[in-house]
């Protein structure tokens, strides 16, 4: 494998919670241009692995590199290359989606002159333009998921990490979501974690 094309690499990653070994020597390389599925039953350690990839949890041992950058040594720099959609899409319910996306673009250091254009583009791609000015707390689960997806893409990440991303989407929305992922995968590495094998088979390569 061309090392220059690897967006994420885990080497002998362990995670222990006391005597419980949630993950044991996980090794994983995902290169740009692929959608890589992580499957397993509930409690298998998928979300723990995802959280270590995204820097939410620190491994007990082992290393995580994002585009060659050591996540533990340079967390801010590594996370700039990452888009993350959490399971259940936990969002600040008191904000409007437009406010949340503006905060996201600011957090990633996107120049002010480019922010509104990028928000408009990804709102259209994720089909949330009609709810940008409605409180997040009033949105359906599917719309919240799509707002979370737009916020993960607005800075054009090198690596996109999705934890149960189709939750709340109806069949038509799921099909559109898969089409968008296949398009994004031309220039992005994608990790797709789910306990639904059929969904992963339909999405990942």
């Amino acid at each position: 494998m061309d090392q220059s094309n690897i967006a994420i690499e885990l080497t002998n990653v362990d995670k222990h919670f006391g005597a419980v070994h949630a993950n044991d020597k996980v090794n994983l390389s995902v290169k740009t241009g692929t959608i890589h599925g992580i499957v397993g039953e509930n409690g298998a350690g998928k979300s723990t692995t995802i959280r270590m990839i995204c820097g939410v949890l620190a491994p007990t041992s082992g290393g995580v590199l994002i585009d060659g950058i050591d996540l533990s040594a340079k967390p801010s720099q590594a996370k700039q290359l990452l888009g993350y959609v959490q399971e259940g899409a936990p969002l600040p319910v008191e904000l409007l989606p437009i406010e949340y996306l503006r905060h996201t673009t600011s957090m990633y250091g996107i120049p002010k002159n480019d922010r509104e254009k990028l928000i408009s583009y990804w709102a259209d791609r994720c089909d949330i333009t009609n709810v940008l000015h409605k409180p997040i707390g009033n949105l359906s689960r599917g719309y919240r998921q799509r707002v979370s997806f737009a916020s993960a893409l607005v800075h054009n990440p090198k690596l996109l990490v999705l934890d149960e991303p189709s939750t709340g989407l109806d069949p038509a929305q799921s099909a559109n979501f898969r089409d968008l992922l296949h398009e994004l995968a031309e220039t992005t590495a994608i990790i797709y974690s789910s306990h639904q094998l059929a969904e992963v088979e339909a999405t990942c390569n």
Side-chain angles (χ1 to χ4, degrees):
M1 182 181 294
D2 180 3
Q3 294 293 314
S4 66
N5 201 32
I6 296 176
I8 176 73
E9 185 170 21
L10 277 66
T11 305
N12 293 327
V13 169
D14 294 331
K15 184 60 184 178
H16 304 165
F17 297 97
V20 177
H21 290 202
N23 297 88
D24 185 23
K25 290 183 170 51
V26 177
N27 291 279
L28 175 68
S29 292
V30 181
K31 62 182 180 179
T32 301
T34 61
I35 305 176
H36 193 107
I38 297 180
V39 296
E41 62 187 10
N42 290 331
K46 300 184 305 299
S47 291
T48 299
T49 301
I50 291 296
R51 289 170 184 150
M52 288 190 290
I53 289 172
C54 296
V56 178
L57 287 176
T60 304
S61 62
V64 179
L65 301 179
I66 298 178
D67 199 27
I69 299 172
D70 188 329
L71 179 60
S72 64
K74 299 179 179 179
S76 296
Q77 186 177 347
K79 289 177 183 180
Q80 287 288 326
L81 305 172
L82 172 72
Y84 176 31
V85 176
Q86 299 182 61
E87 182 178 4
L91 300 173
V93 296
E94 70 279 5
L95 294 183
L96 308 176
I98 186 69
E99 294 171 333
Y100 180 65
L101 292 173
R102 284 170 178 162
H103 170 73
T104 302
T105 57
S106 173
M107 181 181 67
Y108 282 112
I110 294 172
K112 288 184 178 180
N113 293 340
D114 297 331
R115 292 176 188 175
E116 295 301 315
K117 182 179 178 180
L118 284 168
I119 290 171
S120 178
Y121 175 79
W122 287 112
D124 181 63
R125 295 300 306 279
C126 297
D127 196 21
I128 58 169
T129 301
N130 60 326
V131 299
L132 283 176
H133 297 278
K134 296 181 180 180
I136 290 173
N138 293 348
L139 301 182
S140 69
R141 193 174 185 181
Y143 268 120
R144 291 190 196 191
Q145 193 75 356
R146 283 181 276 166
V147 170
S148 182
F149 193 54
S151 73
L153 291 169
V154 75
H155 63 299
N156 295 312
K158 175 85 173 182
L159 172 69
L160 178 63
V161 180
L162 308 171
D163 193 2
E164 303 288 353
S166 64
T167 302
L169 302 182
D170 63 34
Q173 292 168 346
S174 293
N176 291 336
F177 175 68
R178 283 195 296 270
D179 289 343
L180 179 56
L181 286 185
H182 290 147
E183 183 179 334
L184 290 169
E186 295 178 7
T187 57
T188 307
I190 300 174
I191 292 179
Y192 191 111
S193 175
S194 178
H195 68 281
Q196 298 183 26
L197 182 57
E199 178 183 309
V200 173
E201 288 180 327
T203 306
C204 302
N205 53 24

